[in-house]
């Protein structure tokens, strides 16, 4: 899947890019859509670390020439390992070499493994590299591990495994307007379905307008990173029930409704709290903004 394009994936990609250059051929990364689990067991789609567009962007940055999205269908799921290798790798992609992790499985009921792929490769004339999974401090980097970090709100550990801050993208939509009334106008970010949203709390984040969108940008320039304090949760002080991602962009003024934006989570500042008064909440928000500024200025160096 390459969901996350984390440091383990980056190791595979680097090896594939290097091998392709040595062979004088194009490098390709193959991913699936939808997530295989949604087809195997409908309703069990895991939280998504990256959108397809973000995956393609990251793959290009790492030197991949071709980003191949394979539709994962019930028919595709039933392909035997042998048919999978022949129809996809040989007939469609014309591979000269395949680079995978040592735990790679493929075909119906994940019956194929790296050893079988090598055997098939000998028959059809392609090489296979099965790389040892990247790990540090007894932790093997995987999308499952990173999802657990994000779910726990440990965005620092997630960033360490990803090689960059965890990102949530979305379109800015209208909220209840309460933040503006309190002196903290926020961009209410509506992410795509299945997005991996960090645990409830307040975070120091980078905020970027990706565009294009329908809103007015004010002093915000598309593509540039801005400092932000971001609240994730239901706003318990006002007995909220809907879980939201609300970004307060520091030092800037803009009408961001309709804009496609990215929020990169750098550090969790505190958990979500219910305050006894609006005044106490506003005081906390001031502290959050200043703490976010300190964290991000330090991260920016």
């Amino acid at each position: 899947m390459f969901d996350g394009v984390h440091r383990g994936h980056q190791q595979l990609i680097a090896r594939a890019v290097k091998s392709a250059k040595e062979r004088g051929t194009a490098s390709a990364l193959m991913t699936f859509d939808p997530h295989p689990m949604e087809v195997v067991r409908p309703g069990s789609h895991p939280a998504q670390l990256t959108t397809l567009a973000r995956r393609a962007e990251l793959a290009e940055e790492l030197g991949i020439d071709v980003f191949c999205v394979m539709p994962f269908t019930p028919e595709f799921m039933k392909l035997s390992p042998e048919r999978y290798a022949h129809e996809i790798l040989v007939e469609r992609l014309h591979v000269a070499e395949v680079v995978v992790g040592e735990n790679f499985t493929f075909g119906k009921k994940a019956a194929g493994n790296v050893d079988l792929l090598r055997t098939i490769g000998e028959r059809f004339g392609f090489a296979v590299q099965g790389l040892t999974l990247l790990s540090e401090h007894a932790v093997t980097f995987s999308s499952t591990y990173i999802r657990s970090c994000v779910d726990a709100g440990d965005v620092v550990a997630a960033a360490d495994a990803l090689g960059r801050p965890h990102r949530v993208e979305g379109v800015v939509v209208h909220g209840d307007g309460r933040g503006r009334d309190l002196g903290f106008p926020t961009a209410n970010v509506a992410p795509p379905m299945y997005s991996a949203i960090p645990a409830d709390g307040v975070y120091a984040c980078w905020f970027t307008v990706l565009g294009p969108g329908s809103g007015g940008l004010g002093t915000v320039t598309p593509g540039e990173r801005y400092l932000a304090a971001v609240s994730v949760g239901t706003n318990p002080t006002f007995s909220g029930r809907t879980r939201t991602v609300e970004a307060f962009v520091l030092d800037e003024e803009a009408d961001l409704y309709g804009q496609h934006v990215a929020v990169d989570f750098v550090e969790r500042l505190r958990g979500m709290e219910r305050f006894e008064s609006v005044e106490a909440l506003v005081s906390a928000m001031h502290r959050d903004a200043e703490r976010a500024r300190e964290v991000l200025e330090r991260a920016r160096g």
Side-chain angles (χ1 to χ4, degrees):
M1 274 298 297
F2 287 93
D3 185 23
V5 193
H6 55 66
R7 287 172 56 194
H9 293 149
Q10 292 164 31
Q11 175 182 253
L12 297 179
I13 292 169
R15 182 67 63 86
V17 169
K18 181 175 183 293
S19 294
K21 288 180 178 178
E22 291 172 350
R23 291 177 177 273
T25 187
S27 58
L29 182 150
M30 187 172 75
T31 187
F32 301 107
D33 187 57
H35 194 286
M37 289 306 299
E38 185 62 20
V39 178
V40 176
R41 288 196 294 274
S44 63
H45 195 304
Q48 190 174 53
L49 297 172
T50 51
T51 63
L52 270 179
R54 178 63 169 159
R55 250 175 280 171
E57 178 184 90
L58 292 169
E60 182 179 20
E61 290 175 1
L62 293 167
I64 288 292
D65 298 307
V66 179
F67 185 75
C68 179
V69 181
M70 190 65 62
F72 198 92
T73 64
E75 293 73 27
F76 181 87
M77 179 179 68
K78 296 173 184 177
L79 290 178
S80 68
E82 291 77 11
R83 284 189 60 197
Y84 177 104
H86 183 257
E87 294 182 16
I88 306 302
L89 301 182
V90 178
E91 292 190 341
R92 295 194 190 185
L93 297 179
H94 308 290
V95 298
E97 184 173 344
V98 179
V99 181
V100 295
E102 62 184 356
N103 65 339
F104 176 71
T105 59
F106 64 103
K108 184 177 180 180
K109 296 184 178 179
N113 57 22
V114 177
D115 288 337
L116 178 58
L117 188 60
R118 285 198 179 99
T119 299
I120 296 172
E122 291 172 0
R123 186 190 317 160
F124 291 108
F126 63 84
V128 175
Q129 290 193 54
L131 303 188
T132 301
L133 302 183
L134 183 64
S135 62
E136 286 183 0
H137 312 300
V139 173
T140 299
F141 294 143
S142 69
S143 297
T144 299
Y145 165 72
I146 296 167
R147 289 186 195 103
S148 69
C149 292
V150 171
D151 192 54
D154 191 350
V155 294
V156 172
D160 182 54
L162 285 166
R164 65 185 184 281
H166 172 60
R167 170 173 288 193
V168 172
E169 296 183 22
V171 174
V172 178
V173 298
H174 287 276
D176 55 25
R178 190 176 288 118
R180 185 174 298 278
D181 294 339
L182 297 177
F184 291 86
T186 58
N188 192 343
V189 182
M193 186 180 295
Y194 305 124
S195 295
I197 308 299
D200 289 2
V202 178
Y203 296 82
C205 299
W206 299 116
F207 182 93
T208 308
V209 174
L210 302 176
S214 59
L217 291 174
T219 61
V220 174
T221 302
E224 290 193 16
R225 293 192 316 179
Y226 294 92
L227 287 65
V230 176
S231 171
V232 177
T234 59
N235 204 340
T237 300
F238 295 97
S239 302
R241 295 185 178 182
T242 302
R243 194 164 187 253
T244 60
V245 178
E246 296 184 71
F248 171 60
V249 183
L250 278 60
D251 309 321
E252 306 295 336
E253 293 184 7
D255 175 8
L256 296 169
Y257 294 121
Q259 293 291 342
H260 181 205
V261 303
V263 177
D264 294 314
F265 288 78
V266 176
E267 185 176 310
R268 193 184 196 202
L269 304 178
R270 62 174 174 85
M272 185 55 61
E273 301 177 39
R274 183 183 187 281
F275 294 91
E276 294 303 317
S277 66
V278 172
E279 292 75 18
L281 171 61
V282 171
S283 294
M285 294 169 75
H286 279 290
R287 293 192 297 271
D288 294 337
E290 288 311 306
R291 177 62 179 146
R293 188 188 307 278
E294 293 171 4
V295 168
L296 295 167
E297 292 287 4
R298 184 171 65 247
R300 185 157 58 185

